[in-house]
Amino acid sequence: MKTKSHPLLGVHSLIMMIFIYVPILFIVAYSFNSSRLAADWSGFTFDWYISLFDNRHVMEALANSLTVAIVSTVISTVLGTLAALAMRKIGRRLKSGMGGLLYLPIIIPDIIMGLSLLVLFNQLHMPLGKITIIIAHITFSLSYVYVVVTTRLSGMGGQLEEAAQDLGASSWQTFRYVTLPQIAPGIISGALIAFTLSLDDFMVSFFVSGPNSTTLPIYIYGQVKRGISPEINALCTILILVTVALIFLAQFVLNRGKGQKKQSLLPF
């Protein structure tokens, strides 16, 4: 029997959607404004996007963000996947405790994580720069990859792996030809989410960045303090589009993986 939702629930959802997305729409709209004044619409133009890519400081910040995001994504995806596979084999009590530790970076506020990492790097006498940002991003990205891959593993079951071993497959062959193809959508989705989080992160990066390691979010923050310009609106619009595209792609890959029929590919 279907239960009817209260009509005010729909109104509340609509108000929340307006509250969240209308400011974003304003940023996108004014990135095409030919006037430098945000309150004065004087025509449609792509000039701010053209000048944005001619800005040397923006390109340097973009290069730093992409370098940090790619390196941290690769490492966190490998470590998060290995953690999910290892947690699958341990006992229930130990698994709950270790799982809680892996969830902590998701729960802890970004400002606390950024500050704690800054203290750690200072204690280790590590100079702040790209390396410290990459380590910081791995710290929280690993947890998201772990969660996604663990979810994929929990719905997989162990019948195919047991069948492969019964047919004489080694542990590596079972992983390579049975386990890995099954969890590949989860790994790809986790990697896309990790890349998105790294590309958009400001709070943690702000604490652990050095003078020559400015990322795009930090650059935007510095420019906004001087006043919001159409170039910043254009840069924010690009970041929004990239982020939304990656999130939708991650969700598409994960849903497609869930919808596939489980098949056993045993070439041995």
Side-chain angles (χ1 to χ4, degrees):
M1 182 177 179
K2 294 183 178 180
T3 58
K4 294 183 178 180
S5 60
H6 196 279
L8 290 179
L9 184 60
V11 176
H12 174 266
S13 301
L14 179 61
I15 293 174
M16 289 299 298
M17 295 287 285
I18 292 174
F19 181 78
I20 293 172
Y21 291 108
V22 166
I24 297 176
L25 293 177
F26 273 113
I27 290 176
V28 175
Y30 279 106
S31 68
F32 299 102
N33 185 14
S34 60
S35 173
R36 277 195 168 273
L37 300 176
D40 179 27
W41 179 271
S42 59
F44 186 92
T45 183
F46 287 102
D47 292 344
W48 307 119
Y49 288 89
I50 297 173
S51 63
L52 180 66
F53 288 101
D54 290 334
N55 189 321
R56 179 176 61 85
H57 299 292
V58 172
M59 292 297 102
E60 289 177 356
L62 175 62
N64 289 336
S65 289
L66 290 177
T67 300
V68 170
I70 291 172
V71 175
S72 64
T73 297
V74 171
I75 298 176
S76 62
T77 300
V78 173
L79 294 179
T81 302
L82 291 176
L85 291 170
M87 294 286 286
R88 193 184 182 204
K89 302 296 182 181
I90 64 177
R92 183 173 298 178
R93 290 186 178 180
L94 184 60
K95 183 177 182 179
S96 60
M98 294 296 294
L101 291 176
L102 286 168
Y103 275 100
L104 272 180
I106 301 176
I107 301 171
I108 294 176
D110 288 347
I111 190 170
I112 296 177
M113 176 170 285
L115 182 59
S116 62
L117 288 170
L118 175 61
V119 172
L120 174 64
F121 295 143
N122 285 335
Q123 291 295 318
L124 297 175
H125 302 289
M126 290 183 63
L128 300 180
K130 289 182 184 178
I131 299 299
T132 54
I133 299 178
I134 290 172
I135 294 173
H137 285 200
I138 291 172
T139 303
F140 63 78
S141 297
L142 187 154
S143 298
Y144 288 92
V145 176
Y146 166 78
V147 169
V148 176
V149 177
T150 299
T151 303
R152 182 66 181 171
L153 281 170
S154 64
M156 190 181 74
Q159 296 87 352
L160 293 177
E161 294 169 312
E162 293 174 1
Q165 292 174 351
D166 290 341
L167 292 173
S170 64
S171 298
W172 168 249
Q173 288 176 319
T174 302
F175 172 76
R176 170 65 181 84
Y177 296 108
V178 178
T179 308
L180 186 59
Q182 293 292 317
I183 65 174
I187 296 174
I188 296 172
S189 298
L192 290 172
I193 293 173
F195 184 84
T196 303
L197 292 171
S198 177
L199 194 65
D200 291 346
D201 179 73
F202 166 76
M203 186 61 69
V204 177
S205 300
F206 181 77
F207 279 94
V208 300
S209 63
N212 297 319
S213 57
T214 301
T215 60
L216 272 178
I218 297 176
Y219 174 82
I220 292 173
Y221 173 75
Q223 293 299 309
V224 168
K225 291 171 65 177
R226 305 174 188 175
I228 301 177
S229 68
E231 283 189 358
I232 296 300
N233 290 333
L235 183 56
C236 291
T237 300
I238 294 174
L239 280 176
I240 291 169
L241 292 176
V242 171
T243 301
V244 171
L246 288 174
I247 292 297
F248 272 106
L249 181 60
Q251 191 63 46
F252 171 77
V253 171
L254 193 59
N255 289 339
R256 186 177 181 183
K258 288 180 180 179
Q260 290 177 344
K261 292 182 178 180
K262 296 181 179 180
Q263 297 179 358
S264 179
L265 302 176
L266 304 175
F268 39 81

